Amino acid sequence: MYYTVSNSIDKISKPLLDSFDRLGADPYLKGDFVFRYRSFGEGRVKGDEILWVEEGDFFQSSDINTYAGGMQRRFAPLGREAREFVEQLMADAHLRGMFDGEELTIGVHQMRVTADDTHTGYPAPEGFHHDGFDYVVVNAIAQHNVNGGTSMIADATSEDIIVFDRVMNAGETLILDDKAVKHYVSPFTPKLPGQARRDVIVVTVKVDD
């Protein structure tokens, strides 16, 4: 499996949409313009249950993440609305059938990326990349006034071999084999004057031995 696309629109609630407005700024961005807001949570999955870890750091090596790798990063804790979304997601039999294992460690990133008339939004400032896990589950939650923000998947052997190339619709879930592919989302600007925003929840999955 390189990737598969499924639908999660039934799991997106009004409280979840509203929770993106309360995200704190990403403190690890470079430059003066804050274009990303986020929270993070980690959990252990066994069967249909998730045991959430109250606090946790997120680490990627600089080989994996050339933009912000090589450091322990700590973000605001994941809120109740995002946890409930992920609990429904991980209980979905179709999704769980994609993973080669019943016991999983997950990292959940709730993120809003913004742009305005003078600043570009960068969903993936590190470019094409692996996340360093077994699977990555990208959930498109909402977007507003976005020009760009195209999701792209390339074969791990060459970024010239593109196997997926389009804007994800709200409610779509993209499941990636992180070892088989690299992924990327292009920068975006406002379609009309004003602010643009793109809201996603990304779940990294490690299959526990």
Side-chain angles (χ1 to χ4, degrees):
M1 177 193 86
Y2 272 178
Y3 72 92
T4 188
V5 180
S6 63
N7 194 304
S8 58
I9 192 69
D10 61 321
K11 302 175 180 64
I12 299 175
S13 66
K14 178 66 163 51
L16 176 64
L17 293 172
D18 292 343
S19 72
F20 282 86
D21 294 333
R22 300 190 294 272
L23 293 177
D26 185 335
Y28 302 99
L29 296 178
K30 301 173 182 177
D32 296 329
F33 177 61
V34 177
F35 60 83
R36 185 163 62 193
Y37 302 79
R38 69 192 298 172
S39 64
F40 173 71
E42 188 175 25
R44 308 285 187 269
V45 183
K46 186 173 183 180
D48 291 336
E49 295 185 348
I50 300 179
L51 175 63
W52 293 101
V53 177
E54 290 305 315
E55 292 186 4
D57 293 344
F58 179 64
F59 178 82
Q60 291 175 306
S61 72
S62 55
D63 292 336
I64 293 289
N65 187 336
T66 57
Y67 182 83
M71 69 178 83
Q72 295 285 350
R73 290 182 284 167
R74 175 160 290 194
F75 303 104
L78 196 68
R80 174 178 55 83
E81 298 86 357
R83 290 187 181 194
E84 290 177 352
F85 172 84
V86 174
E87 286 165 1
Q88 293 180 63
L89 193 72
M90 300 307 292
D92 188 299
H94 174 70
L95 177 74
R96 290 297 293 277
M98 304 288 174
F99 305 144
D100 185 21
E102 276 297 308
E103 297 189 16
L104 315 169
T105 297
I106 62 172
V108 182
H109 304 259
Q110 182 182 13
M111 294 184 286
R112 166 172 285 180
V113 176
T114 66
D116 61 26
D117 295 332
T118 56
H119 299 96
T120 299
Y122 295 93
E126 66 270 48
F128 272 103
H129 63 283
H130 300 284
D131 278 350
F133 298 89
D134 294 316
Y135 304 96
V136 179
V137 184
V138 181
N139 302 277
I141 304 299
Q143 62 179 22
H144 170 73
N145 198 32
V146 169
N147 177 40
T150 300
S151 295
M152 303 176 70
I153 304 173
D155 188 281
T157 63
S158 173
E159 294 173 9
D160 293 328
I161 304 175
I162 304 296
V163 297
F164 182 92
D165 180 2
R166 68 172 174 82
V167 174
M168 290 180 65
N169 297 314
E172 285 189 316
T173 292
L174 185 60
I175 304 108
L176 314 174
D177 182 334
D178 193 42
K179 294 183 174 65
V181 298
K182 294 181 177 182
H183 58 283
Y184 171 65
V185 182
S186 67
F188 64 83
T189 56
K191 188 176 293 185
L192 297 173
Q195 189 187 71
R197 60 181 183 269
R198 181 177 184 270
D199 296 344
V200 301
I201 292 178
V202 176
V203 183
T204 61
V205 179
K206 179 183 180 297
V207 178
D208 295 333
D209 296 332

PDB file of all heavy atoms in Angstrom, residues 183-196:
ATOM      1  N   HIS A 183       5.650  12.670   1.631  1.00  0.00           N
ATOM      2  CA  HIS A 183       4.486  13.507   1.393  1.00  0.00           C
ATOM      3  C   HIS A 183       4.841  14.982   1.562  1.00  0.00           C
ATOM      4  O   HIS A 183       5.864  15.339   2.165  1.00  0.00           O
ATOM      5  CB  HIS A 183       3.317  13.119   2.303  1.00  0.00           C
ATOM      6  CG  HIS A 183       3.617  13.191   3.768  1.00  0.00           C
ATOM      7  ND1 HIS A 183       4.346  12.243   4.439  1.00  0.00           N
ATOM      8  CD2 HIS A 183       3.284  14.111   4.705  1.00  0.00           C
ATOM      9  CE1 HIS A 183       4.448  12.552   5.714  1.00  0.00           C
ATOM     10  NE2 HIS A 183       3.815  13.696   5.912  1.00  0.00           N
ATOM     11  N   TYR A 184       3.949  15.812   1.036  1.00  0.00           N
ATOM     12  CA  TYR A 184       4.216  17.253   0.977  1.00  0.00           C
ATOM     13  C   TYR A 184       2.889  17.966   0.725  1.00  0.00           C
ATOM     14  O   TYR A 184       1.980  17.402   0.105  1.00  0.00           O
ATOM     15  CB  TYR A 184       5.197  17.547  -0.167  1.00  0.00           C
ATOM     16  CG  TYR A 184       5.418  19.006  -0.490  1.00  0.00           C
ATOM     17  CD1 TYR A 184       6.004  19.864   0.428  1.00  0.00           C
ATOM     18  CD2 TYR A 184       5.047  19.523  -1.736  1.00  0.00           C
ATOM     19  CE1 TYR A 184       6.217  21.201   0.130  1.00  0.00           C
ATOM     20  CE2 TYR A 184       5.265  20.861  -2.049  1.00  0.00           C
ATOM     21  CZ  TYR A 184       5.848  21.691  -1.106  1.00  0.00           C
ATOM     22  OH  TYR A 184       6.060  23.017  -1.405  1.00  0.00           O
ATOM     23  N   VAL A 185       2.767  19.191   1.217  1.00  0.00           N
ATOM     24  CA  VAL A 185       1.636  20.052   0.880  1.00  0.00           C
ATOM     25  C   VAL A 185       2.204  21.395   0.438  1.00  0.00           C
ATOM     26  O   VAL A 185       3.023  21.997   1.150  1.00  0.00           O
ATOM     27  CB  VAL A 185       0.673  20.246   2.069  1.00  0.00           C
ATOM     28  CG1 VAL A 185      -0.507  21.107   1.645  1.00  0.00           C
ATOM     29  CG2 VAL A 185       0.191  18.901   2.592  1.00  0.00           C
ATOM     30  N   SER A 186       1.781  21.869  -0.731  1.00  0.00           N
ATOM     31  CA  SER A 186       2.342  23.092  -1.292  1.00  0.00           C
ATOM     32  C   SER A 186       1.885  24.321  -0.506  1.00  0.00           C
ATOM     33  O   SER A 186       0.833  24.314   0.141  1.00  0.00           O
ATOM     34  CB  SER A 186       1.932  23.229  -2.759  1.00  0.00           C
ATOM     35  OG  SER A 186       0.529  23.452  -2.867  1.00  0.00           O
ATOM     36  N   PRO A 187       2.661  25.404  -0.540  1.00  0.00           N
ATOM     37  CA  PRO A 187       2.255  26.646   0.111  1.00  0.00           C
ATOM     38  C   PRO A 187       0.947  27.177  -0.463  1.00  0.00           C
ATOM     39  O   PRO A 187       0.530  26.800  -1.567  1.00  0.00           O
ATOM     40  CB  PRO A 187       3.417  27.600  -0.190  1.00  0.00           C
ATOM     41  CG  PRO A 187       4.578  26.712  -0.515  1.00  0.00           C
ATOM     42  CD  PRO A 187       3.986  25.509  -1.182  1.00  0.00           C
ATOM     43  N   PHE A 188       0.298  28.071   0.303  1.00  0.00           N
ATOM     44  CA  PHE A 188      -0.939  28.663  -0.210  1.00  0.00           C
ATOM     45  C   PHE A 188      -1.022  30.136   0.152  1.00  0.00           C
ATOM     46  O   PHE A 188      -0.343  30.631   1.061  1.00  0.00           O
ATOM     47  CB  PHE A 188      -2.166  27.899   0.281  1.00  0.00           C
ATOM     48  CG  PHE A 188      -2.409  27.921   1.769  1.00  0.00           C
ATOM     49  CD1 PHE A 188      -3.069  28.984   2.381  1.00  0.00           C
ATOM     50  CD2 PHE A 188      -1.994  26.868   2.575  1.00  0.00           C
ATOM     51  CE1 PHE A 188      -3.298  29.008   3.748  1.00  0.00           C
ATOM     52  CE2 PHE A 188      -2.227  26.870   3.938  1.00  0.00           C
ATOM     53  CZ  PHE A 188      -2.882  27.943   4.526  1.00  0.00           C
ATOM     54  N   THR A 189      -1.885  30.827  -0.587  1.00  0.00           N
ATOM     55  CA  THR A 189      -2.184  32.241  -0.389  1.00  0.00           C
ATOM     56  C   THR A 189      -3.698  32.399  -0.346  1.00  0.00           C
ATOM     57  O   THR A 189      -4.433  31.468  -0.698  1.00  0.00           O
ATOM     58  CB  THR A 189      -1.600  33.093  -1.530  1.00  0.00           C
ATOM     59  OG1 THR A 189      -2.114  32.597  -2.774  1.00  0.00           O
ATOM     60  CG2 THR A 189      -0.073  33.016  -1.559  1.00  0.00           C
ATOM     61  N   PRO A 190      -4.209  33.565   0.043  1.00  0.00           N
ATOM     62  CA  PRO A 190      -5.657  33.761   0.010  1.00  0.00           C
ATOM     63  C   PRO A 190      -6.188  33.792  -1.419  1.00  0.00           C
ATOM     64  O   PRO A 190      -5.593  34.404  -2.312  1.00  0.00           O
ATOM     65  CB  PRO A 190      -5.851  35.117   0.700  1.00  0.00           C
ATOM     66  CG  PRO A 190      -4.624  35.328   1.509  1.00  0.00           C
ATOM     67  CD  PRO A 190      -3.519  34.681   0.733  1.00  0.00           C
ATOM     68  N   LYS A 191      -7.305  33.149  -1.636  1.00  0.00           N
ATOM     69  CA  LYS A 191      -7.959  33.185  -2.943  1.00  0.00           C
ATOM     70  C   LYS A 191      -8.554  34.568  -3.195  1.00  0.00           C
ATOM     71  O   LYS A 191      -8.455  35.118  -4.283  1.00  0.00           O
ATOM     72  CB  LYS A 191      -9.052  32.119  -3.000  1.00  0.00           C
ATOM     73  CG  LYS A 191      -9.667  31.928  -4.365  1.00  0.00           C
ATOM     74  CD  LYS A 191     -10.682  30.791  -4.346  1.00  0.00           C
ATOM     75  CE  LYS A 191      -9.999  29.447  -4.108  1.00  0.00           C
ATOM     76  NZ  LYS A 191     -10.959  28.321  -4.195  1.00  0.00           N
ATOM     77  N   LEU A 192      -9.181  35.127  -2.155  1.00  0.00           N
ATOM     78  CA  LEU A 192      -9.697  36.494  -2.168  1.00  0.00           C
ATOM     79  C   LEU A 192      -8.968  37.275  -1.082  1.00  0.00           C
ATOM     80  O   LEU A 192      -8.441  36.684  -0.134  1.00  0.00           O
ATOM     81  CB  LEU A 192     -11.202  36.506  -1.912  1.00  0.00           C
ATOM     82  CG  LEU A 192     -12.072  35.802  -2.962  1.00  0.00           C
ATOM     83  CD1 LEU A 192     -13.521  35.737  -2.489  1.00  0.00           C
ATOM     84  CD2 LEU A 192     -11.981  36.520  -4.308  1.00  0.00           C
ATOM     85  N   PRO A 193      -8.912  38.611  -1.170  1.00  0.00           N
ATOM     86  CA  PRO A 193      -8.212  39.387  -0.140  1.00  0.00           C
ATOM     87  C   PRO A 193      -8.703  39.042   1.256  1.00  0.00           C
ATOM     88  O   PRO A 193      -9.894  38.846   1.490  1.00  0.00           O
ATOM     89  CB  PRO A 193      -8.543  40.837  -0.518  1.00  0.00           C
ATOM     90  CG  PRO A 193      -8.781  40.791  -1.992  1.00  0.00           C
ATOM     91  CD  PRO A 193      -9.453  39.466  -2.250  1.00  0.00           C
ATOM     92  N   GLY A 194      -7.760  38.962   2.195  1.00  0.00           N
ATOM     93  CA  GLY A 194      -8.100  38.612   3.567  1.00  0.00           C
ATOM     94  C   GLY A 194      -7.248  37.463   4.059  1.00  0.00           C
ATOM     95  O   GLY A 194      -6.142  37.231   3.577  1.00  0.00           O
ATOM     96  N   GLN A 195      -7.785  36.707   4.990  1.00  0.00           N
ATOM     97  CA  GLN A 195      -7.051  35.584   5.570  1.00  0.00           C
ATOM     98  C   GLN A 195      -7.484  34.273   4.932  1.00  0.00           C
ATOM     99  O   GLN A 195      -8.646  34.101   4.544  1.00  0.00           O
ATOM    100  CB  GLN A 195      -7.272  35.497   7.083  1.00  0.00           C
ATOM    101  CG  GLN A 195      -6.362  34.468   7.754  1.00  0.00           C
ATOM    102  CD  GLN A 195      -6.680  34.257   9.222  1.00  0.00           C
ATOM    103  OE1 GLN A 195      -7.699  33.678   9.562  1.00  0.00           O
ATOM    104  NE2 GLN A 195      -5.786  34.722  10.084  1.00  0.00           N
ATOM    105  N   ALA A 196      -6.538  33.355   4.806  1.00  0.00           N
ATOM    106  CA  ALA A 196      -6.812  31.976   4.400  1.00  0.00           C
ATOM    107  C   ALA A 196      -6.392  31.057   5.535  1.00  0.00           C
ATOM    108  O   ALA A 196      -5.437  31.361   6.266  1.00  0.00           O
ATOM    109  CB  ALA A 196      -6.050  31.627   3.123  1.00  0.00           C
TER     110      ALA A 196
END
